[in-house]
Amino acid sequence: MKRKFLRHSSLSVMIAALCVLLLLSAGCKKFFDVRPSTTSINPTTLGDFEEMLNNDSMAICNYLLADFMSDDVRLEDAHLSADAASSYTRSYLWEQTIWKPGDADFMYNASYTRILQMNIILERVGRSAGSEQQKNVIRAQAQINRAWYYLQLAGLYGTDYQAATAAADLAVPLVLFPDASAQPVRATVQQVYDQVISDLTAAVATPGLPGMGQDVVHPGKAAGYALLARIYLNMAKYPDALNAAQSALAINSQLLKYTRDYAPSSSLLDLSKNPEILLARLCIDYDFYSIRHTGLNISPSLRAVLDSNDIRLLNNFADGGTLY
């Protein structure tokens, strides 16, 4: 997937014009020489960090284009032709260039925004006042959140993990500190996977971290183990994946009763009612629905897996194939 990035210069143009009008060109040049620094930004207290972790934006993320590139979604020809220029259609058709000049890659940008928030927590929490146990829990939850986002980025913008080539295959920049002046280069798939495993391993080893978070937005040890199982599965390390999965199930092995309790999830509140959810993530893409005015259709191959009386089909899809 190729991405094109453009720096937004409108603010710079406005500032430059103002400097000319006020004949303050020297002062303006001095202003442009100043780099923004995250060191001057609060939060600094444990309460601040907890509020960052409480923010539901950590759980609301949009990787809809990844679904379009999977084998499970079908878009109608009429919709494809009516919206041929959008990133939705280009990703569905596996075109070489997904983003047009001037487009913002919302998956990439939003992921690094949340990673920056977790990096700020991890860089500052040790210096804040408060109990060490509280600091440890905050640190562990930030590590799990950061690991989750890097796992998504590696899957979207890097190659699949192959043990023979992972040390050379490129993934995404590995940003671990909140430094606005840094210019990170792309890390390898191996480096990103190693960091994800390091974050998750440290988090699940934290004594004060509860098995389940206080709600579906806050990760507990079960979520950490489940993510470890996923990444080990990606790496074809099946014994490690099994051990991690069993550790997650030892904490929470509840199953949802589809015949009684299930309802399609359209909010975090809906997800909180599902006993299987270890860490909630919800995609909301209003632009897609405003363009197409329709839900997603499942592919014929996925539809063939589900019998016409399958409750998973009946509860999740209208007319046997369209997502509610």
Side-chain angles (χ1 to χ4, degrees):
M1 184 184 298
K2 291 188 176 180
R3 302 177 306 281
K4 297 180 179 179
F5 303 98
L6 297 176
R7 293 186 177 181
H8 298 287
S9 58
S10 58
L11 179 60
S12 300
V13 171
M14 291 172 62
I15 295 175
L18 181 61
C19 291
V20 172
L21 291 173
L22 297 179
L23 301 177
L24 294 176
S25 58
C28 186
K29 181 179 184 299
K30 182 178 180 181
F31 173 81
F32 281 121
D33 287 339
V34 177
R35 287 183 176 272
S37 173
T38 57
T39 59
S40 63
I41 300 175
N42 286 326
T44 57
T45 69
L46 293 186
D48 294 333
F49 303 141
E50 287 180 333
E51 288 184 9
M52 293 170 69
L53 292 169
N54 286 340
N55 195 323
D56 63 3
S57 68
M58 288 303 304
I60 298 176
C61 47
N62 188 347
Y63 297 110
L64 186 60
L65 298 191
D67 290 322
F68 288 160
M69 300 181 77
S70 74
D71 295 328
D72 296 334
V73 172
R74 175 174 58 86
L75 296 182
E76 301 292 344
D77 291 342
H79 293 144
L80 291 174
S81 60
D83 189 32
S86 78
S87 58
Y88 304 110
T89 297
R90 291 196 297 270
S91 59
Y92 180 76
L93 297 176
W94 280 65
E95 293 189 3
Q96 187 69 15
T97 300
I98 302 300
W99 306 106
K100 295 183 296 184
D103 284 349
D105 185 340
F106 54 79
M107 297 186 298
Y108 189 89
N109 294 344
S111 297
Y112 276 105
T113 296
R114 288 158 177 77
I115 288 171
L116 171 61
Q117 294 170 346
M118 297 305 100
N119 285 343
I120 291 174
I121 292 175
L122 292 169
E123 195 270 336
R124 297 182 178 189
V125 67
R127 302 195 301 270
S128 60
S131 71
E132 289 303 313
Q133 179 173 343
Q134 191 177 10
K135 292 180 187 179
N136 290 339
V137 171
I138 290 173
R139 183 182 293 110
Q141 291 179 336
Q143 288 171 322
I144 293 174
N145 280 324
R146 182 170 71 177
W148 190 90
Y149 276 100
Y150 268 123
L151 185 56
Q152 312 315 305
L153 288 170
L156 286 167
Y157 302 103
T159 60
D160 291 338
Y161 186 93
Q162 300 291 332
T165 60
D169 294 335
L170 294 179
V172 292
L174 194 57
V175 182
L176 303 177
F177 301 96
D179 185 354
S181 63
Q183 297 181 347
V185 298
R186 292 178 70 182
T188 66
V189 173
Q190 187 68 59
Q191 289 172 322
V192 176
Y193 271 54
D194 285 346
Q195 182 60 48
V196 171
I197 292 173
S198 175
D199 274 345
L200 293 174
T201 302
V204 297
T206 301
L209 183 67
M212 292 291 293
Q214 65 192 62
D215 51 46
V216 293
V217 175
H218 291 79
K221 288 189 178 184
Y225 282 122
L227 287 173
L228 277 172
R230 173 63 61 84
I231 196 167
Y232 284 137
L233 184 64
N234 291 353
M235 301 172 74
K237 293 186 175 182
Y238 302 120
D240 291 330
L242 176 61
N243 289 336
Q246 289 175 334
S247 295
L249 291 171
I251 297 171
N252 182 12
S253 59
Q254 296 183 73
L255 294 176
L256 177 72
K257 291 186 180 296
Y258 264 75
T259 56
R260 187 186 67 192
D261 302 326
Y262 182 75
S265 299
S266 59
S267 68
L268 291 174
L269 181 59
D270 293 333
L271 292 174
S272 69
K273 300 174 184 177
N274 187 334
E276 297 179 3
I277 298 296
L278 305 181
L279 179 62
R281 292 292 187 261
L282 184 70
C283 170
I284 300 176
D285 194 313
Y286 296 111
D287 288 341
F288 172 75
Y289 290 102
S290 67
I291 292 171
R292 299 185 180 276
H293 307 290
T294 185
L296 298 176
N297 296 318
I298 59 175
S299 65
S301 59
L302 177 58
R303 174 63 182 84
V305 173
L306 303 172
D307 182 86
S308 297
N309 295 320
D310 194 308
I311 297 176
R312 293 171 296 177
L313 177 68
L314 300 176
N315 282 1
N316 287 290
F317 299 95
D319 303 322
T322 303
L323 186 67
Y324 281 109

